[in-house]
Amino acid sequence: MIRLLLCDDELLAVQRLQDLLERIEGVEVVGSAASGTAALAEIASLAPDAVLLDVEMPALDGFDVVEELARTSGAPPLIVFVTAYPHFAATAFETGAIDFLTKPIRLGRLQIAIDRIRQSIEDRSARSRLTDLAGQLDALRRERSSDVAEHRHIWVQRRGETVRVDLDRVDWVAAEGEYVRLFLGEASYLHRESLTAILEQLDPLRFTRIHRSYIVNHDRIASIRRLATGSYQLTTDAGNNLPVGRSYRRVVRDMMTNNGF
């Protein structure tokens, strides 16, 4: 049985969802909320498997609710966004939602969303095992990091000379085709290596990949903000604006929480 929480500030919208869900087997509506704040309280109290979450609500909107859930411990519920405004779809999927329903909701389309929720719940045990494995790999990286810290440097070619670059002093790294560019203060060095390869040589406690093309030193982060489009942008203490890739937003949120941003 899938336990659902309905969150919408329009009573008629909640009632319609309840009427449609009564026609779908294997689901139970455990509660409803009329605001983002109430939704967070109900999620904490009821621990639903999934939330059908309206985007446009007073005070905390649907995106704000997801951001707050990302900061809490424990496994958050699956999110299906519901809205009358289809232009929110791109941002909704970027937050990690598993589906996006546009009002007025049809039974067939709702059934598809429920099937996706059911499949995601079935996959949770597999994801849990992967999370455990990731934790073990992270511990191994930390151990390796302490072993090789004194050797954390590379040699790069620049204007006919070979220069030693101390990787712990790197501010941020950008991919440039088959090369990476390492930024240290006002200097930068082009090095023939992939971003993935250079990341393996950096201290994992100090550096995080925030985009398929960017790595940043935590100590150089001045601010992280959400843009009007729903995407995130990171600014370094030198004023460089770096985009946060969609698949890296959870990593950045965790970094913000763990480092007190």
Side-chain angles (χ1 to χ4, degrees), residues 2-258:
I2 300 173
R3 302 174 69 254
L4 297 177
L5 176 70
L6 310 184
C7 183
D8 197 309
D9 61 336
E10 297 180 5
L11 180 60
L12 290 178
V14 172
Q15 185 60 56
R16 174 167 174 76
L17 273 175
Q18 289 177 326
D19 292 343
L20 291 174
L21 289 167
E22 288 177 357
R23 301 164 64 182
I24 299 177
E25 293 184 1
V27 298
E28 176 189 5
V29 176
V30 296
S32 63
S35 69
T37 303
L40 291 171
E42 291 296 288
I43 290 169
S45 173
L46 300 172
D49 297 314
V51 181
L52 273 61
L53 181 62
D54 188 24
V55 173
E56 291 288 286
M57 291 183 295
L60 293 179
D61 65 20
F63 297 139
D64 292 327
V65 169
V66 173
E67 285 189 8
E68 289 298 322
L69 289 174
R71 297 189 181 99
T72 60
S73 59
L78 300 168
I79 300 295
V80 174
F81 278 112
V82 181
T83 181
Y85 305 99
H87 65 273
F88 283 124
T91 303
F93 282 115
E94 287 176 354
T95 67
I98 66 169
D99 209 343
F100 181 91
L101 298 176
T102 302
K103 300 176 182 179
I105 298 171
R106 306 301 180 188
L107 178 61
R109 184 62 184 83
L110 181 59
Q111 178 70 67
I112 292 173
I114 296 300
D115 289 343
R116 289 177 177 171
I117 292 172
R118 183 174 290 110
Q119 184 62 53
S120 294
I121 292 172
E122 292 173 356
D123 291 343
R124 270 181 173 172
S125 61
R127 289 204 301 274
S128 177
R129 290 194 295 271
L130 287 175
T131 299
D132 291 341
L133 177 60
Q136 296 173 24
L137 291 175
D138 185 58
L140 289 173
R141 291 191 187 102
R142 291 170 185 262
E143 181 179 346
R144 175 180 177 274
S145 173
S146 62
D147 292 339
V148 304
E150 61 184 43
H151 305 296
R152 198 175 287 122
H153 64 266
I154 59 174
W155 295 90
V156 301
Q157 300 295 319
R158 189 179 70 161
R159 294 193 290 271
E161 64 176 347
T162 303
V163 180
R164 172 176 166 147
V165 175
D166 182 354
L167 293 178
D168 286 335
R169 294 181 56 243
V170 170
D171 298 333
W172 55 288
V173 186
E176 295 188 11
E178 297 180 351
Y179 294 78
V180 291
R181 184 171 295 278
L182 307 159
F183 293 85
L184 291 80
E186 296 181 357
S188 69
Y189 303 89
L190 195 63
H191 180 57
R192 188 179 179 88
E193 199 159 19
S194 70
L195 201 69
T196 299
I198 203 70
L199 180 61
E200 292 176 353
Q201 301 173 63
L202 295 169
D203 183 352
L205 300 179
R206 299 180 60 193
F207 291 87
T208 295
R209 188 168 186 171
I210 61 169
H211 188 277
R212 64 181 181 180
S213 300
Y214 297 101
I215 298 168
V216 68
N217 185 334
H218 300 176
D219 295 336
R220 296 293 174 261
I221 299 173
S223 66
I224 302 172
R225 65 192 182 98
R226 193 177 82 179
L227 305 178
T229 59
S231 60
Y232 285 80
Q233 183 182 80
L234 180 152
T235 302
T236 69
D237 54 7
N240 308 107
N241 293 323
L242 307 179
V244 176
R246 180 176 63 184
S247 58
Y248 296 93
R249 289 177 187 174
R250 178 60 60 85
V251 174
V252 170
R253 291 192 189 104
D254 292 343
M255 180 179 65
M256 292 166 62
T257 301
N258 295 335

